[in-house]
Amino acid sequence: KLSGLRGEMHLEAIPADPDIARILKCQTFNPVLHTQVFFRHSSEEPLQVHNGYLRAEYYKYIVDIEMKDFDKI
């Protein structure tokens, strides 16, 4: 069991280069979402980086939010 992991996700709209456009079946320079997810151990040692490319017109972003210590806000 792994513990002490943390992650960070970056989302960025970028123009599709020819290779990404071919894979996603869209036009070159169409906007796509580039996602990068970084996973690190608690010591900040990098464990994994994931890169993904998504067609912007088919993307849905969902965030699960858990609020703790609501009275301190």
Side-chain angles (χ1 to χ4, degrees), residues 35-50:
T35 64
Q36 278 191 313
V37 182
F38 302 89
F39 292 101
R40 300 180 190 281
H41 192 270
S42 59
S43 66
E44 294 300 313
E45 179 182 346
L47 295 174
Q48 182 181 32
V49 176
H50 170 78

Side-chain angles (χ1 to χ4, degrees), residues 12-27:
E12 182 179 13
I14 62 170
D17 67 33
D19 291 330
I20 296 299
R22 181 181 47 78
I23 292 166
L24 295 179
K25 297 180 181 164
C26 67
Q27 296 294 314

Side-chain angles (χ1 to χ4, degrees), residues 3-72:
S3 61
L5 298 177
R6 71 178 206 83
E8 180 177 296
M9 177 190 281
H10 299 212
L11 295 170
E12 182 179 13
I14 62 170
D17 67 33
D19 291 330
I20 296 299
R22 181 181 47 78
I23 292 166
L24 295 179
K25 297 180 181 164
C26 67
Q27 296 294 314
T28 301
F29 301 116
N30 272 14
V32 295
L33 290 174
H34 176 221
T35 64
Q36 278 191 313
V37 182
F38 302 89
F39 292 101
R40 300 180 190 281
H41 192 270
S42 59
S43 66
E44 294 300 313
E45 179 182 346
L47 295 174
Q48 182 181 32
V49 176
H50 170 78
N51 285 285
Y53 296 88
L54 306 157
R55 287 179 60 165
E57 67 268 28
Y58 297 116
Y59 187 72
K60 183 176 184 178
Y61 182 67
I62 299 172
V63 177
D64 185 24
I65 299 172
E66 180 179 339
M67 299 191 70
K68 296 181 180 180
D69 298 325
F70 186 73
D71 58 327
K72 293 182 182 179

